[in-house]
Each structure stands twice: as structure tokens, then as C-alpha cells.
Amino acid sequence: MPDTPSAPVLLGDQPGSFPHSVLAERHPAIIRQVREAFPYGPAQQRALDGLLAECTRGVIEPLPAGAHDRDRWDAWGMREYAGRSWFEVPWLWSESWFYRRLLQAVGYFGPGPWQGIDPFRPFKLAELDSAETDGELAALDDLAGLPDGEQARALLHGSLWGNRADLGFRLSAEGARPADAAPGLVADDSERLWALLDAPGEGAGAPTVCLVADNAGRELVPDLLLIDHLLTSGRVGQAVLHVKPYPYYVSDATTADVLDALRRLTGAGKAAAGYGRRLWSALADGRLVLRAHPFSSAPLPYGRMPDDLRAEFASAALTVVKGDLNYRRLVGDRLWPATTPFADVTAYFPGPVAALRTLKSEVITGLDPRVEAELVAAEDQRWRTSGTHALIQVRDPHRGARPAPR
């Protein structure tokens, strides 16, 4: 952290703020959507009604005594926050708590017939099966003939923009100007990212990269394409893909979502099918490894990661942290001044780290003062949450460690 941290932790207690709108508007809407997506029985309907009332007008109720993860959530803050308003505890915590309680309400953790049924699966599959995805996968046919460096840049930006991945695949189109490469990019450390992955040789001697996934569907597919490129180009010998251990934040990727994405690729034909087959083989032979660590769904910043996860990230040549939520966890969910150095708030991280993130919340660090001034002049503060801007930020691995943000 900076030597004199003064940025406040984000709460949801200010009407009109983005966190407040998520708690007061988005979460009730999600409950309605989940209720309509499945024919849940009376018990689940009552539980969803109770959750709606509690998260909007009530206080935080602890998990049942027999919950399999009650001890873990006690350690993560449940004991401290029980009895308080959802709007008066850290926003990161209350958001995570909402999804844990939603799964409880629909019977995900069982026992019973709804055990293990992802309440968000219909939404994920609809996006994965969309015509937009067809177009993005078809663009891979044109990408295949480009030089390695241009393919790498296109796939990196495809992963960055997520469900706007078609922008990434067209970055290297013939005649594109350098200014077209990343519309809306407010920080770009991509050259430093590639330098960290520029390892000689391939196979057993090549380094390992960790990629902490964000969303499933159309946003997971370009992450997998980037991983395939890193493996087949020899830049890395192994990729470790961190996914969520259970459904989380509506669209966050789980193991099942990875398999759905691979089947989508292999079924698409042409270049996309080649990506899918290679990735499937990479899983089978261990060059691509899936992780679903419990801390991936923790309501805490990465500064409080457990020792085993810290050791894994420390051993990687680079950890790539994808998406908005993971960015909030990486830098600490605080309203930092936008010019706070990214390297300072991530210097606790045990190894080299890169953030690929489309801006969808108020948390941001590492901006040039001139860039921030231009954004504010053009859009006031809407640029922080609109999803129309993005960043690639890298922490220099040679800088000394500092205490973790909490």
C-alpha cells in the first residue's frame, strides 16, 4: 500500500452511488431473474422472498449452524458483520455475501434435487450460444494467417475486452492504424507484460503463467484463446486457470463453464475447433491446469490470500488477473485517487502481476494525471463504471514488497 493510505473502503450506504445501486437495485433484479429461470418449488420461493427482504430492508443473518462453510465465513467476517445492515459493511463483502446466500436459498449446496444446479447457467449458455459469439469465433479464421506478434496482440486485447472480444480479433487487420489498437484504453503496460512472458524455449523448461478468470461465456472464450496462444507459441510451458469453486457474481467462470466454452469452440469448426481441440488436449496432459481455490470466492482482497495460494502465485512467471471484481480484490476495494501508483497498491503480491480489466466500478489506480483530467472533462465520473474504457497494468517484479492492502 502507499505509505499513508487514506482511501476509504467502499460501502453501499450512499444513495445515488454505484455500490448503493448494486445493493438496492441490481441484487433484487437478480433474484427476480433467477426465480424466473427455474421452476423452483415453494421452499426455494420462500427462501428467495426472505433473501429479498433481508438484503434490501433487513440486517445480515448468519449462515445456518450446519452450513458446510460456516467456519470459513466466520473467519471471513460473518461473525463481525452479522446484525448489521448490508449497506453499512464493505461493499466487496456484502456483494459476495449476497451470492453465497442466493445459492443457499435455491438449494445449491443441498442435500436435495437442486444440489449443484447453477442458477445462472441459462444466462451463461444464452450468451455462449449467441450469434455474436458465432461472429467472434469466425474472426479466428482471419487471425490464423497473421504473424505471431500480431496474433498475440489481438488475442491479448480480445481477453481484455471480454464480451467485446471482436474488437480484439480485428486489431491486427490490414491497414489498421496504431491508434485503433485499443479504443478506450486508459493505461497500457502490454509491452511489459510480453517482456515477462518472453521466455526462451518451450516445454518443461518454459515458465508457468496463472490466469485468474473473470466471467464465463463470451468473456471466457478469449481467455482460453490467449492461453492456447501462450502454450502453442512456447512462451509458457504450463498455464494455470483459476476459476470459482461455485457459481458467483452471476457470470463468473466455474469448471463447468470452462468445459462449455471448450465444447463451443470444438463445435464451431475451422480455426475455432483447432483452438478447442488443443486446449482439450492441454487439459488432459497437464499443460493447462484448472484451480478452484476457496479463496477465489472470498469477500476479501488478495492481500489476505492464504499461504498456499501465495506460494502458487509466487512460483509463476506472471499472474494475469482478469476483470473488474478481481481488480477490486487486487488493489483493495477502496476509492483510491486515480493517480495512486498501481505498483504501490500491488507491491504486496508475491510475484509479477498484470491486470486486464474493463472499467465497471469506481475503483481505479495507476492513471496518468493528464489522462484522468481528460476523462473527467469528457465524461465526469461515468468513465469509471460505463464499461467503455479498459486498462492493462503490470507491476514490476523487481520492486520490493510492501504490506498488503486490507
Side-chain angles (χ1 to χ4, degrees), residues 129-406:
D129 294 337
S130 67
E132 290 83 0
T133 303
D134 289 337
E136 289 159 7
L137 296 183
L140 291 169
D141 297 338
D142 296 329
L143 193 68
L146 296 175
D148 177 80
E150 294 185 31
Q151 288 191 43
R153 185 171 74 249
L155 292 169
L156 177 66
H157 285 289
S159 178
L160 168 67
W161 285 103
N163 61 11
R164 296 174 62 194
D166 57 321
L167 290 174
F169 297 145
R170 295 172 185 138
L171 294 178
S172 301
E174 187 175 353
R177 295 173 297 139
D180 295 330
L185 201 59
V186 300
D188 185 6
D189 290 341
S190 55
E191 292 303 318
R192 295 172 63 194
L193 183 151
W194 291 120
L196 286 166
L197 294 175
D198 190 18
E202 56 182 277
T208 294
V209 65
C210 292
L211 191 149
V212 182
D214 186 34
N215 292 332
R218 289 173 63 205
E219 298 196 34
L220 180 60
V221 167
D223 294 343
L224 291 168
L225 300 177
L226 177 61
I227 286 172
D228 174 78
H229 179 81
L230 295 177
L231 290 171
T232 57
S233 67
R235 279 191 167 95
V236 303
Q238 185 182 63
V240 181
L241 179 62
H242 285 256
V243 296
K244 300 300 188 294
Y246 51 75
Y248 190 63
Y249 277 69
V250 181
S251 57
D252 280 34
T254 66
T255 298
D257 299 318
V258 174
L259 299 179
D260 285 339
L262 292 180
R263 292 189 183 102
R264 182 69 166 91
L265 284 167
T266 55
K270 297 187 177 179
Y275 280 93
R277 288 191 294 268
R278 289 192 301 269
L279 288 161
W280 195 277
S281 296
L283 276 172
D285 64 27
R287 287 176 297 123
L288 174 56
V289 178
L290 299 182
R291 291 275 192 271
H293 196 287
F295 193 77
S296 293
S297 296
L300 303 172
Y302 274 103
R304 296 177 62 179
M305 75 182 84
D307 290 342
D308 62 332
L309 192 58
R310 182 177 296 275
E312 181 164 339
F313 290 152
S315 67
L318 178 66
T319 296
V320 178
V321 176
K322 277 294 310 293
D324 196 78
L325 171 63
N326 285 324
Y327 187 87
R328 290 165 55 195
R329 297 185 68 195
L330 178 66
V331 304
D333 202 32
R334 296 173 176 268
L335 196 57
W336 299 107
T339 56
T340 303
F342 176 76
D344 283 2
V345 295
T346 58
Y348 72 91
F349 202 83
V353 63
L356 302 185
R357 178 235 184 166
T358 304
L359 276 60
K360 298 177 183 176
S361 70
E362 295 168 320
V363 178
I364 190 166
T365 66
L367 286 199
D368 180 274
R370 178 185 56 81
V371 171
E372 183 193 16
E374 291 174 352
L375 289 166
V376 172
E379 305 178 38
D380 194 22
Q381 297 299 324
R382 292 186 299 276
W383 60 273
R384 292 176 177 259
T385 59
S386 64
T388 59
H389 298 282
L391 56 80
I392 302 171
Q393 293 176 323
V394 175
R395 184 186 72 85
D396 187 336
H398 303 297
R399 294 193 178 187
R402 299 189 184 188
R406 301 181 69 86

Side-chain angles (χ1 to χ4, degrees), residues 11-168:
L11 306 177
D13 59 349
Q14 294 296 320
S17 69
F18 186 70
H20 188 276
S21 70
V22 169
L23 297 175
E25 301 168 18
R26 182 183 296 178
H27 287 176
I30 289 169
I31 291 175
R32 290 192 297 272
Q33 292 165 355
V34 166
R35 189 195 301 270
E36 294 169 0
F38 287 95
Y40 290 119
Q44 284 96 345
Q45 298 284 356
R46 287 192 297 271
L48 289 170
D49 288 340
L51 177 59
L52 178 60
E54 181 188 322
C55 72
T56 54
R57 301 184 300 275
V59 298
I60 293 166
E61 300 288 346
L63 293 175
H68 72 284
D69 54 352
R70 181 179 172 119
D71 289 346
R72 182 178 297 150
W73 276 93
D74 270 341
W76 286 348
M78 184 179 70
R79 186 177 301 164
E80 177 183 357
Y81 297 137
R84 296 173 62 179
S85 166
W86 290 58
F87 295 84
E88 295 174 354
V89 303
W91 180 41
L92 177 62
W93 198 95
S94 56
E95 272 198 292
S96 296
W97 180 245
F98 170 79
Y99 290 100
R100 173 59 184 84
R101 291 291 308 281
L102 181 64
L103 294 181
Q104 185 86 19
V106 299
Y108 179 85
F109 295 111
W114 294 97
Q115 185 175 17
I117 301 298
D118 183 348
F120 312 124
R121 184 170 171 78
F123 318 123
K124 295 174 179 178
L125 290 181
E127 182 181 271
L128 194 60
D129 294 337
S130 67
E132 290 83 0
T133 303
D134 289 337
E136 289 159 7
L137 296 183
L140 291 169
D141 297 338
D142 296 329
L143 193 68
L146 296 175
D148 177 80
E150 294 185 31
Q151 288 191 43
R153 185 171 74 249
L155 292 169
L156 177 66
H157 285 289
S159 178
L160 168 67
W161 285 103
N163 61 11
R164 296 174 62 194
D166 57 321
L167 290 174

